[in-house]
Amino acid sequence: MSRPQSWVPTDPRSVPTREHVLSGLHGTDEGGAELVQLLTPEGQRVSDDRFGSWADDVGAEELKGYYRDMVLVRRVDREGNALQRQGQLGIWVPLLGQEAAQVGAGRAATPRDMIFPSYREHGVAWCRGIDPTDLLGIFRGTDHGSWDPIEARFHLYTIVIGNQCLNATGYAMGQKFEGKVGDGPDAEATMCFFGDGATSQGDVHEGFVWAAAYDAPVVFYCQNNQWAISVPLERQTRVPLFQRARGYGFPGVRVDGNDVLACLAVTRWALEECRTGNGPVLIEAFTYRMDAHTTSDDPSRYRLADELELWKLKDPIERVRVNLVREHGVQQDFFDEVQAESDELAARFRAFCVAMPDPGPDRMFSEVYAELSPQLEAEKARYLEYHASFEAEGSLAGPTVGGA
């Protein structure tokens, strides 16, 4: 399995030296020799002959923007986690540790591109202009997503593992059939997000087959966070995930998923390949899930604490902060402003969640079908009449629908 190399002490009283730490950070099994990286865990910007030019325009101001994105996204994620623990949400899906993989890819897309997420892409949603409060209904059980997917160019969350790959491939095929692929300024592409666990699902492979057969302009973006709930990567595949693309006849790239610049550059390249008719492309963002799979999961039952500690050294936000300070002279005032903004966002997010009303009893009818059949119209009328009878009697034992 691809893992940072562990430090094994020879003396219980000894501590790892600086050289040991750096060796762990640069271990050859930390993603392999083909891993694309532009920002090291120590915050040093490095070059890459193939993809470096795709991030040449990123200076201090752009990097500050990506830092802000990641800090705010992480704060929303932590607040969502806390809200679930306090009974305000039915479930929450954490993204802790995957901020760079999502912000880098999300910021690479143009307003014309279409994105299909799974259920963990809170950072990509942020980059597409989705207010974090719009995510709450999904996890509170009051709606399926309250944004317009066509207007935002960001599809509603997909809960069925891997199903979004079929949807994305079909949409991308439509882009090609409608002549939206080429060298013109109006060319567009599709991007589909999924995890390493989804690569074991048939829907993903069917999407790969159709996309390859029709040269569909779709970027398959796999966030390899090393764990499919409790199943480690080595029990899912014998080869690195990005190499699977060869079997379908299109390119695959492995990028450091904790490096926002590398994710930005590789995704920019991949999307442009697809817009100009050279798709599809598979990107494997090699990252790590720092929290549970969902709030119903207990990761301490299947992974070791030292593994988590090793990955903390590659925190995606910290490496950007270090780079801003060391290479761009950014002062503490900027970081304090971002922290204050994250506090305000968290307070607004929490207040919105707590104040969310429960849906009315007719919601079970209004949000299931586009148009009600005569039979369902009659059933709805009978149900509302039945429910009203309890309200008239002041009974608290009547039927209810929805709720947190």
Side-chain angles (χ1 to χ4, degrees):
M1 177 167 57
S2 298
R3 286 281 184 274
Q5 295 178 352
S6 300
W7 170 71
V8 181
T10 56
D11 186 327
R13 297 169 296 177
S14 63
V15 295
T17 65
R18 181 176 183 274
E19 287 70 27
H20 277 126
V21 173
L22 293 179
S23 175
L25 292 173
H26 294 300
T28 56
D29 64 344
E30 191 188 71
E34 295 182 273
L35 184 77
V36 179
Q37 187 178 84
L38 298 179
L39 197 61
T40 70
E42 302 86 9
Q44 178 185 3
R45 189 153 178 178
V46 294
S47 61
D48 183 273
D49 292 339
R50 186 179 180 190
F51 298 103
S53 61
W54 289 90
D56 280 348
D57 62 321
V58 179
E61 290 305 311
E62 290 79 13
L63 200 56
K64 286 166 67 176
Y66 302 144
Y67 175 86
R68 172 182 174 271
D69 286 336
M70 291 192 291
V71 169
L72 296 183
V73 166
R74 177 173 289 186
R75 186 56 186 276
V76 166
D77 177 69
R78 295 299 80 198
E79 199 68 25
N81 216 67
L83 285 165
Q84 192 282 330
R85 297 306 189 196
Q86 295 160 12
Q88 294 295 332
L89 299 176
I91 195 172
W92 182 255
V93 185
L95 61 71
L96 186 65
Q98 299 179 220
E99 296 88 357
Q102 295 194 15
V103 169
R107 290 302 183 195
T110 70
R112 300 184 305 275
D113 298 324
M114 186 67 183
I115 295 177
F116 287 79
S118 62
Y119 45 69
R120 199 185 303 274
E121 278 67 58
H122 319 321
V124 186
W126 170 267
C127 294
R128 297 308 272 181
I130 306 298
D131 193 282
T133 58
D134 288 338
L135 304 175
L136 286 169
I138 302 171
F139 301 105
R140 194 174 171 93
T142 60
D143 61 54
H144 303 295
S146 56
W147 64 89
D148 183 337
I150 301 301
E151 180 180 352
R153 307 295 287 168
F154 184 76
H155 199 269
L156 299 176
Y157 276 15
T158 300
I159 307 302
V160 179
I161 305 298
N163 184 248
Q164 68 274 18
C165 288
L166 294 177
N167 300 331
T169 297
Y171 190 93
M173 289 168 61
Q175 288 173 316
K176 183 174 182 180
F177 295 156
E178 293 175 0
K180 297 179 179 179
V181 177
D183 296 325
D186 296 327
E188 58 187 59
T190 293
M191 184 157 47
C192 178
F193 288 84
F194 53 95
D196 51 290
T199 64
S200 297
Q201 293 285 353
D203 284 0
V204 174
H205 294 278
E206 290 167 14
F208 286 1
V209 169
W210 281 85
Y214 285 88
D215 299 323
V218 56
V219 175
F220 294 108
Y221 194 93
C222 174
Q223 294 175 84
N224 175 9
N225 62 24
Q226 311 302 316
W227 290 94
I229 310 183
S230 60
V231 179
L233 185 64
E234 79 268 18
R235 292 185 61 186
Q236 299 181 71
T237 179
R238 289 188 175 185
V239 300
L241 294 178
F242 77 98
Q243 292 183 4
R244 287 184 169 184
R246 298 177 185 174
Y248 299 95
F250 54 85
V253 181
R254 173 178 276 188
V255 62
D256 184 346
N258 286 22
D259 177 356
V260 69
L261 286 183
C263 291
L264 175 80
V266 170
T267 308
R268 280 177 170 178
W269 166 81
L271 285 169
E272 188 62 19
E273 285 287 290
C274 289
R275 293 189 201 103
T276 53
N278 296 319
V281 174
L282 171 63
I283 297 175
E284 177 193 356
F286 195 80
T287 182
Y288 192 78
R289 192 192 78 217
M290 299 296 290
D291 204 343
H293 175 71
T294 71
T295 47
S296 62
D297 171 42
D298 178 9
S300 67
R301 298 180 62 184
Y302 54 81
R303 68 185 188 190
L304 300 176
D306 62 346
E307 178 179 305
L308 189 66
E309 294 302 314
L310 285 168
W311 276 91
K312 284 182 180 179
L313 296 172
K314 293 179 284 296
D315 182 83
I317 297 178
E318 182 62 18
R319 70 174 68 182
V320 176
R321 188 194 69 80
V322 171
N323 180 268
L324 287 172
V325 172
R326 291 181 178 176
E327 297 189 13
H328 299 285
V330 175
Q331 300 300 308
Q332 186 62 37
D333 289 350
F334 166 73
F335 301 107
D336 291 342
E337 290 172 3
V338 173
Q339 183 61 47
E341 186 179 0
S342 74
D343 291 341
E344 294 174 2
L345 177 59
R348 180 170 67 85
F349 188 73
R350 168 173 287 277
F352 185 95
C353 180
V354 173
M356 290 177 71
D358 291 341
D362 63 329
R363 188 61 179 265
M364 68 166 68
F365 300 99
S366 64
E367 300 300 322
V368 177
Y369 300 98
E371 296 181 4
L372 293 182
S373 65
Q375 293 86 349
L376 282 175
E377 285 281 11
E379 182 66 25
K380 176 182 176 181
R382 284 194 296 269
Y383 179 83
L384 292 177
E385 180 181 358
Y386 176 64
H387 189 274
S389 67
F390 282 93
E391 293 183 338
E393 296 172 4
S395 172
L396 297 179
T400 60
V401 179

